[in-house]
Amino acid sequence: MKKSELIAKLEGAKEMTPVVSIDLVLAALGMLEPEVKVEKVFGMSQELAEEIASKIERCLDNNASDLVDTDSAEFSLNYSNTIELDCAQINVYDTMDHINACLEQFVVEEEEEEAEETTDTDEAYEATLS
């Protein structure tokens, strides 16, 4: 429990009863988490990097027809009556859509984890009030 949460709960208890017991305050202070700044360093394992690269490669391979902007292709006619592709643009928007769809599979929702931790802390505090 954070300091601000503790203060808010004690204020709420103060409104119900004019006197808050010292035992209750000590119990609440015991649950108070020390304020520690944690710097998270994010990285990924080689295995995870290979899995992500593999999924992106398969996705792009399966959707190869979406990757090239065929309207921008430039051709030339060679002296032996062969057609040669001179230039073709990549359809960046569609390519990035496919890559983002692959990457979304690996995103972990941190908000859900924080909500579970807050609920557990609140239940422990309410049990000390009883």
Side-chain angles (χ1 to χ4, degrees), residues 30-80:
M31 292 178 6
L32 190 62
E33 296 173 3
E35 292 186 24
V36 177
K37 282 193 168 186
V38 177
E39 186 175 322
K40 293 183 180 179
V41 178
F42 295 100
M44 68 174 72
S45 66
Q46 181 66 29
E47 181 181 323
L48 179 59
E50 289 173 1
E51 183 180 352
I52 292 171
S54 175
K55 282 195 181 250
I56 290 173
E57 181 180 6
R58 280 186 305 226
C59 179
L60 294 179
D61 189 41
N62 291 338
N63 297 291
S65 62
D66 297 340
L67 306 180
V68 177
D69 182 13
T70 55
D71 294 334
S72 69
E74 297 175 8
F75 300 92
S76 62
L77 185 59
N78 288 335
Y79 63 91
S80 61

Side-chain angles (χ1 to χ4, degrees), residues 72-103:
S72 69
E74 297 175 8
F75 300 92
S76 62
L77 185 59
N78 288 335
Y79 63 91
S80 61
N81 287 335
T82 58
I83 298 174
E84 185 176 303
L85 177 63
D86 291 332
C87 178
Q89 299 292 320
I90 294 175
N91 191 342
V92 176
Y93 182 79
D94 286 345
T95 303
M96 288 308 300
D97 277 347
H98 292 302
I99 292 172
N100 286 333
C102 289
L103 292 176

Side-chain angles (χ1 to χ4, degrees), residues 99-117:
I99 292 172
N100 286 333
C102 289
L103 292 176
E104 285 177 1
Q105 298 172 8
F106 295 95
V107 174
V108 175
E109 297 294 330
E110 291 184 26
E111 294 173 358
E112 292 175 1
E113 293 173 5
E114 291 175 6
E116 290 174 6
E117 291 174 6

